[in-house]
Amino acid sequence: IQCVRALTVFGSDDAPHGHAEVTLNNIELDETAVILGEGRGFEIAQSRLGPGRIHHCMRAIGLAARCYELMLERTMQRRTFGKFLHEHGSCQEMIADSRSDLEAARLLTLACADDIDQLGAKGARDKIAMIKVAVPEYTSRVVDRAVQIFGGAGVSSDFPLARALVGLRTLRIADGPDAVHKVTLAKLELKKAKKRMQSKI
């Protein structure tokens, strides 16, 4: 096994906790290395991804909540046009939207965790797909607004906002792109709708 190089994220060094390009040379496996059965790799991966996605979403919500707190503090410290930032209507709208996005992300993740507890990961596939798409989107919007309120300082390394935004953006690719999870969710919803329609006949 050879580590070729540490990969950058949006042009920045992400080592040592990021990802790397790895080469596997002359790695031989026999049938004892097969887990669960041939062709069942996707099934194995999916069985651990549900709880893993809950973890990712909880971290994303915590990160966005911290950025939201910084944003609120900034609006009470900085002035433009003779007023504090929080006194401007556009800033108040960003605060309200951010609080709503945070609460929506939190409640959706909580509902998904409850479904996993009650129904297992397989029975919660719809909510797992939902949080994978929605939570990174909601939390990214919160952090993006915080960056906007901070202005130039928001994209600097003086504050954690830029790094938070990069982390949340990459979360929309990790464990499969959003489009894949939207297809899964749509198929599950259509299946439920067909079942409801048939029960009315």
Side-chain angles (χ1 to χ4, degrees):
I1 299 172
Q2 179 191 1
C3 181
V4 178
R5 63 190 173 116
L7 298 174
T8 60
V9 177
F10 283 98
S12 296
D13 182 19
D14 201 34
H17 46 72
H19 294 80
E21 179 183 341
V22 177
T23 302
L24 305 175
N25 295 309
N26 302 317
I27 305 292
E28 292 186 24
L29 302 172
D30 61 25
E31 62 278 354
T32 62
V34 176
I35 302 170
L36 203 59
E38 191 174 338
R40 298 181 71 183
F42 184 73
E43 181 185 342
I44 296 166
Q46 289 302 309
S47 69
R48 59 156 284 279
L49 287 177
R53 288 188 180 124
I54 293 281
H55 175 73
H56 281 315
C57 289
M58 287 168 48
R59 288 177 49 232
I61 293 163
L63 181 61
R66 177 64 183 127
C67 294
Y68 174 69
E69 289 169 4
L70 290 172
M71 180 178 82
L72 290 175
E73 290 168 12
R74 185 76 165 187
T75 67
M76 292 184 272
Q77 295 164 347
R78 304 285 286 193
R79 288 174 176 267
T80 59
F81 304 105
K83 294 196 290 188
F84 282 107
L85 292 179
H86 69 83
E87 295 176 299
H88 293 283
S90 60
C91 187
Q92 292 168 2
E93 186 177 338
M94 285 196 270
I95 291 169
D97 287 343
S98 296
R99 186 68 192 97
S100 298
D101 281 343
L102 275 173
E103 190 67 5
R106 189 185 72 77
L107 291 173
L108 193 54
T109 303
L110 186 62
C112 181
D114 186 56
D115 273 12
I116 290 174
D117 284 346
Q118 303 298 324
L119 310 170
K122 191 172 181 179
R125 283 179 64 211
D126 55 347
K127 294 253 177 59
I128 292 169
M130 275 185 229
I131 64 167
K132 176 59 181 72
V133 173
V135 172
E137 180 67 31
Y138 293 159
T139 53
S140 291
R141 292 195 307 227
V142 172
V143 179
D144 187 65
R145 291 185 199 108
V147 168
Q148 191 66 27
I149 283 174
F150 269 74
V155 294
S156 75
S157 59
D158 291 354
F159 297 93
L161 305 177
R163 187 166 181 86
L165 196 56
V166 166
L168 292 171
R169 180 61 186 88
T170 58
L171 193 55
R172 291 179 56 203
I173 298 168
D175 290 342
D178 287 359
V180 172
H181 299 284
K182 286 181 179 180
V183 168
T184 298
L185 180 56
K187 285 180 178 176
L188 290 168
E189 288 300 299
L190 290 166
K191 189 176 179 182
K192 285 189 257 182
K194 284 177 186 172
K195 209 174 195 179
R196 281 194 305 271
M197 288 168 69
Q198 286 169 352
S199 68
K200 291 176 183 177
I201 296 171

